[in-house]
């Protein structure tokens, strides 16, 4: 789920205990995934669901896309 809190974006996603996740953001879906901005490269799982807060939303951003990539456990 995605929730806007003030000027921040809160993401909650299904996760697996013991894994870490990379969180990436882009303002454009046509951008190659390798060029998406990395917000966190080793976010620990919160269990069955994990929540992360993007508190660095670019000023004036009208649309953002997020990608969550599972990492090592």
């Amino acid at each position: 789920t995605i929730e806007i809190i003030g000027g921040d974006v809160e993401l909650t996603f299904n996760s697996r205990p013991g894994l870490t996740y990379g969180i990436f953001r882009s303002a454009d879906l046509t951008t190659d995934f390798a060029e998406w901005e990395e917000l966190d490269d080793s976010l620990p799982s919160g269990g069955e669901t994990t929540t992360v807060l993007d508190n660095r939303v670019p000023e004036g951003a009208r649309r953002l896309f997020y990608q969550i990539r599972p990492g090592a456990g």
Side-chain angles (χ1 to χ4, degrees):
T1 61
I2 299 175
E3 186 173 346
I4 308 300
I5 302 172
D8 301 336
V9 176
E10 182 181 80
L11 306 168
T12 301
F13 58 94
N14 293 333
S15 57
R16 298 186 70 186
L19 290 181
T20 59
Y21 294 87
I23 311 298
F24 299 84
R25 174 182 70 201
S26 177
D28 185 351
L29 280 177
T30 63
T31 301
D32 186 275
F33 285 141
E35 297 177 22
W36 284 42
E37 180 181 1
E38 180 181 284
L39 302 179
D40 195 327
D41 67 351
S42 59
L43 178 74
S45 170
E48 296 297 318
T49 61
T50 300
T51 299
V52 62
L53 183 68
D54 179 3
N55 59 3
R56 300 179 307 195
V57 174
E59 188 173 330
R62 298 183 53 99
R63 181 182 329 182
L64 293 170
F65 302 94
Y66 292 87
Q67 183 183 134
I68 297 162
R69 301 178 192 170

